[in-house]
Amino acid sequence: MVLVVSEEVREAIDARRPVVALESTIIAHGLPRPRNLQVALELEDVLRQEGAVPATIAVLDGRPHVGLDKQQVERVANEDGIRKLGHRDLPLAMAAGVSGATTVSATAQLAALAGVEVFATGGLGGVHREWTTTQDESADLGLLARTAITVVCAGVKSILDVPATLQRLETLGVAVAGFGTDRFPGFYLSDSGFPVEWRLDSPEQVAEVMRARAALDAPGSALIVANPVPEEEQLDPALHARVLAEALQACEEAGVSGQGVTPFLLDYLVRHTDGASLSANLAAVRGNVRLAGRIAAARAGA
């Protein structure tokens, strides 16, 4: 098998102990050095505190790895030239023998192939603003529509078209449930302003949904557990609204389009909120990782 699953992760899967997948894009491309390595190791430690085995995922020298040791995490964090890989890029990266950090779609695909049922991330990609003109939609959505994995996230990035993304997820048959809330979170914000139809209030309830999905034995799609960042740690909503409006205007004036839009907007938010957006992002990720560990433990204990 081309997939390299670490001994610790493989043993945990075989023994039905809790395992949680983590993406590596946040390590290689989401944070400056050396904070990226500190956060990567911190997130793995959060999972261990919850009794779960971390399975950080990346492609190293053309080989997809599910579960990295400390030296490999350091390599992803510090090596120049680490590419950003979505699921469409995996065959190309493998054939070329390159190294890359995995996005949501690539991480979800590789985690599912390895038998990992729970994945924690920050915010999902989705339908971009001005979709009717640009036809720009994240590859995350299509991949999640055909991958039976539980994704704990803080909703979708607030720079996106949130209602259009929710509609697209419904069309694709991807289940969305708020965790402890009837509102869909907005990544930096506890509430995006839009409702969700389903609510789950405990890791055990999420695990029960996972069991029911497995019992149906039907073609799989993801379960999105939308976990809001705590209100006391969210980005101030008024500041968010003002800076995002400025960022969208700056993006248009700079002529940025396609894949360049998201990093441009996120970087603008970090710089013009004096890092407050990054703090909210990290608070959301920590909360998602902690909850994912508890969900994986509930699922393993069933």
Side-chain angles (χ1 to χ4, degrees):
M1 186 177 184
V2 69
L3 203 60
V4 180
V5 181
S6 73
E7 183 178 355
E8 181 185 26
V9 171
R10 174 54 58 200
E11 288 179 352
I13 292 172
D14 291 345
R16 293 188 55 80
R17 296 198 305 272
V19 181
V20 174
L22 299 172
E23 65 171 285
S24 50
T25 294
I26 190 174
I27 308 173
H29 303 286
L31 296 168
R33 300 170 184 168
R35 194 174 188 186
N36 58 343
L37 177 59
Q38 295 167 355
V39 170
L41 297 176
E42 176 194 348
L43 296 179
E44 290 200 347
D45 187 55
V46 167
L47 285 176
R48 295 191 190 282
Q49 290 173 16
E50 296 297 334
V53 172
T56 301
I57 295 178
V59 176
L60 299 175
D61 303 317
R63 302 194 71 187
H65 287 253
V66 178
L68 305 181
D69 60 29
K70 185 177 179 180
Q71 183 177 8
Q72 290 169 328
V73 173
E74 290 174 347
R75 179 179 173 187
V76 173
N78 296 321
E79 185 175 299
D80 293 331
I82 294 285
R83 298 189 62 156
K84 185 177 182 180
L85 305 176
H87 71 281
R88 68 169 189 173
D89 304 307
L90 292 175
L92 295 161
M94 291 164 62
V98 304
S99 298
T102 53
T103 65
V104 166
S105 66
T107 303
Q109 183 179 55
L110 294 173
L113 283 173
V116 179
E117 294 186 285
V118 182
F119 166 34
T121 186
L124 299 180
V127 177
H128 285 246
R129 295 168 188 251
E130 306 297 331
W131 183 87
T132 53
T133 301
T134 65
Q135 301 286 292
D136 193 358
E137 174 185 311
S138 170
D140 294 355
L141 305 185
L143 191 282
L144 294 176
R146 56 183 185 271
T147 305
I149 193 165
T150 295
V151 183
V152 183
C153 64
V156 300
K157 296 179 178 67
S158 56
I159 60 175
L160 302 173
D161 187 328
V162 176
T165 300
L166 287 170
Q167 181 60 56
R168 185 68 175 136
L169 287 167
E170 180 182 345
T171 300
L172 291 170
V174 178
V176 179
F179 189 82
T181 181
D182 300 303
R183 310 292 294 174
F184 190 66
F187 191 44
Y188 300 122
L189 305 176
S190 300
D191 183 354
S192 69
F194 299 92
V196 289
E197 294 184 12
W198 294 96
R199 171 175 175 153
L200 300 169
D201 289 303
S202 70
E204 291 73 22
Q205 285 185 329
V206 179
E208 184 59 37
V209 175
M210 294 170 66
R211 286 192 291 272
R213 178 178 60 185
L216 288 171
D217 196 26
S221 62
L223 167 64
I224 295 176
V225 179
N227 182 40
V229 62
E231 286 189 14
E232 63 273 16
E233 295 184 284
Q234 72 174 342
L235 182 61
D236 177 72
L239 176 63
H240 172 271
R242 176 178 62 80
V243 176
L244 178 56
E246 293 171 356
L248 291 168
Q249 182 177 350
C251 187
E252 182 178 356
E253 291 174 352
V256 179
S257 61
Q259 290 186 339
V261 171
T262 294
F264 179 93
L265 294 177
L266 294 179
D267 178 68
Y268 191 101
L269 281 166
V270 170
R271 289 186 290 108
H272 290 80
T273 62
D274 293 325
S277 65
L278 180 58
S279 296
N281 182 358
L282 291 176
V285 172
R286 291 185 189 100
N288 295 341
V289 169
R290 187 173 295 108
L291 175 58
R294 293 172 182 173
I295 291 170
R299 173 70 169 137

